Amino acid sequence: MNEHRLKCFVAVYEQGSVSAAATRLHMTQPPLSILLRKLEDELGVTLFDRSGHRLVPTTTGELFYLRAKALLASLQTMRRELREAEQGARGSVRIGCATAASLFVMPDVMQALEADGLDITIHVQEGEAGHMLQRLRERGLDLVISRSEYATPELETRVILDEPLCLALPPQHPLAGRDRVRLRDLRGDRFLLHQSPLGTGISDMVLRACQNAGFVPNVVYWGGETLPMLLMAHRGLGVAFAPQSFGRLATGLPPLVALEGVQLRTHLNLAWPRQYPLTPTAARVRDLIVERFG
């Protein structure tokens, strides 16, 4: 049994005669009659009662018509879905995201997918940059968006979000309320910094800038996420640093202040494997991210 035989049976059923069905199918009547007989022999059932002048579907034929129509519709849907998958318009993509990427990149990505009518499901995994990159190398992830900077021959990278690094002061800090603050004025403060186990990141910039300002900061906390450090700064536990985009978040966090006399910028990097091709769907999402943010 193949698709052509199913279509022929459906045509005969719906037209009520072999001759009318043959016209609809653009074929002659004898081959169509032979095809019907072969279909019945293959199935081992009688699909039509041929005792009168018209072909009358049997009870089995009625059931087979319902199943044949459903199967033909399913085949049509499958072909459409396969074409969409081939074009990157359908499927799923696994993305490793830094928290900032989940907050400030992925909402725009999801909005763009919906606006373009793409049937793409995004699976996001948040975690430490080194672990996510290892998952990328093992093909457990398709893309990674991380703040760490790294140069490795097996990965392609693209900067997708570049912004200033700002300062978060405790509410009772002597410098609170200022629009700009110099690093050297923080010499006696407790620092809450990001740890950078892979490549270079925010803490590397801050430590280098402090050294250029003539002091080594008193780091009392090393963390992997920006939000907890902002909450700690709000409780008066130290000064923290955050990309400017975090200033768009809800109240309850300390205001972000510009750094004076030093230009510190941080960015999110999109990474994907160089040694093997992305799926069409992953490539489409990558291109969408680069187009909107790169």
Side-chain angles (χ1 to χ4, degrees), residues 198-232:
L198 180 70
T200 58
I202 289 176
S203 63
D204 301 276
M205 290 189 295
V206 173
L207 291 173
R208 192 180 309 116
C210 289
Q211 184 178 10
N212 293 338
F215 73 100
V216 176
N218 174 27
V219 182
V220 299
Y221 179 86
W222 293 96
E225 300 294 343
T226 301
L227 280 176
M229 286 183 275
L230 292 178
L231 292 171
M232 292 179 197

Side-chain angles (χ1 to χ4, degrees), residues 173-185:
H173 195 281
L175 302 177
R178 294 194 182 184
D179 294 331
R180 307 181 71 84
V181 172
R182 296 174 300 181
L183 270 177
R184 67 169 179 261
D185 293 333

Side-chain angles (χ1 to χ4, degrees), residues 152-164:
T152 177
E154 73 269 22
L155 296 178
E156 295 275 359
T157 61
R158 181 73 61 88
V159 174
I160 61 168
L161 185 61
D162 181 271
E163 55 187 331

Side-chain angles (χ1 to χ4, degrees), residues 36-48 50 58 60-61 64:
L36 280 180
R37 291 290 189 184
K38 288 184 176 179
L39 179 60
E40 289 178 319
D41 292 341
E42 180 181 355
L43 295 172
V45 297
T46 301
L47 298 174
F48 293 101
R50 297 173 175 81
T58 63
T60 305
F64 186 64

